[in-house]
Amino acid sequence: MTSSAESGRKSGQPAMQTPPVVSPEAWESAREQLLVKEKAQTRARDALAAERRRMPWMAVEKTYAFEGPDGKASLLDLFDGRRQLIVYRAFFEPGVFGWPDHACRGCSLVADQVAHVAHLNARDTTLVFVSRAPQADIARLKARMGWEMPWFTITDSFDTDFGVDEWHGHNVFIREGERVFRTYFIDNRGDEQMGGTWNYLDITPLGRQEVWEDSPEGYPQTPAYKWWNWHDSYAADPAADKKWAEVSDAGEKAFREANTKP
């Protein structure tokens, strides 16, 4: 069998300097050392999300218009009745590499990673994509690529006003009745982490809405795990399923006991 070093030399590339091969005991020790840093990073990420939930809000005073599958839509309409809204500006329009068959490669990679939006919807949160392509082209692209997230057409200065006219990015909004506020913005490498339900919720003003989170007083919170469901089984009533609550409680208890034994 050819070693990686020999393969590297034959291909003209420098030999790959791989880590040492060690015993199971030494490997577990190395993993435990790294785990300390990983847990610290997790706690730091939670603290950052808590700080994000305390970001000031900016009132959106201007009226914006979009085109959707059902016709004209306002920014308020994009919420689809929910309290929170995440808007990702994807580049799919004339002049973009790939047009008219594809959207931007980077934005398409982002789209390919989007988790089922039903889980966000269950947390009173809507995710939408927006582009300048006509709706007929967006519908064709979504069908071809198998994407199901709502996708609207920008018709005015929304992209310019919210920092995504020349680059991709996620803008986050919350509404209080008919009033809309901008609460957060992330772009560049910040977009790399998006796609999963948890990361989306962590950039919203209400967060995951679970009791363990450090959120301002009065924010909506429910027990962790209990609101989870199959994406085709969420109901209008957000109450936790009694049987699932029992199963998750038992599983968590067993995990905690197993990890506290000397």
Side-chain angles (χ1 to χ4, degrees), residues 216-229:
E217 185 177 352
Y219 274 42
Q221 290 185 318
T222 60
Y225 314 119
K226 307 302 181 292
W227 64 273
W228 299 1
N229 209 339

Side-chain angles (χ1 to χ4, degrees), residues 186-235:
I186 192 169
D187 65 355
N188 290 309
R189 290 201 63 191
D191 286 333
E192 291 179 3
Q193 66 178 319
M194 307 316 298
T197 300
W198 306 124
N199 286 335
Y200 279 130
L201 291 176
D202 282 347
I203 67 171
T204 65
L206 301 182
R208 304 184 188 192
Q209 303 165 53
E210 295 183 341
V211 294
W212 62 271
E213 286 182 298
D214 174 13
S215 292
E217 185 177 352
Y219 274 42
Q221 290 185 318
T222 60
Y225 314 119
K226 307 302 181 292
W227 64 273
W228 299 1
N229 209 339
W230 298 288
H231 74 249
D232 64 349
S233 299
Y234 284 109

Side-chain angles (χ1 to χ4, degrees), residues 103-118:
C104 156
R105 286 184 174 181
C107 293
S108 297
L109 183 59
V110 171
D112 274 335
Q113 298 179 73
V114 173
H116 203 290
V117 296

Side-chain angles (χ1 to χ4, degrees), residues 76-87:
L76 189 62
D77 290 331
L78 267 55
F79 281 79
D80 197 21
R82 302 183 183 91
R83 192 172 183 189
Q84 301 191 127
L85 172 68
I86 303 170
V87 181

Side-chain angles (χ1 to χ4, degrees), residues 64-78 129-131 133-136 138-139 150-156:
Y64 294 98
F66 302 85
E67 289 286 345
D70 300 319
K72 293 187 180 299
S74 67
L75 181 59
L76 189 62
D77 290 331
L78 267 55
F129 276 41
V130 296
S131 297
Q135 277 297 298
I138 290 174
W151 199 319
F152 292 82
T153 301
I154 302 168
T155 67
D156 51 29

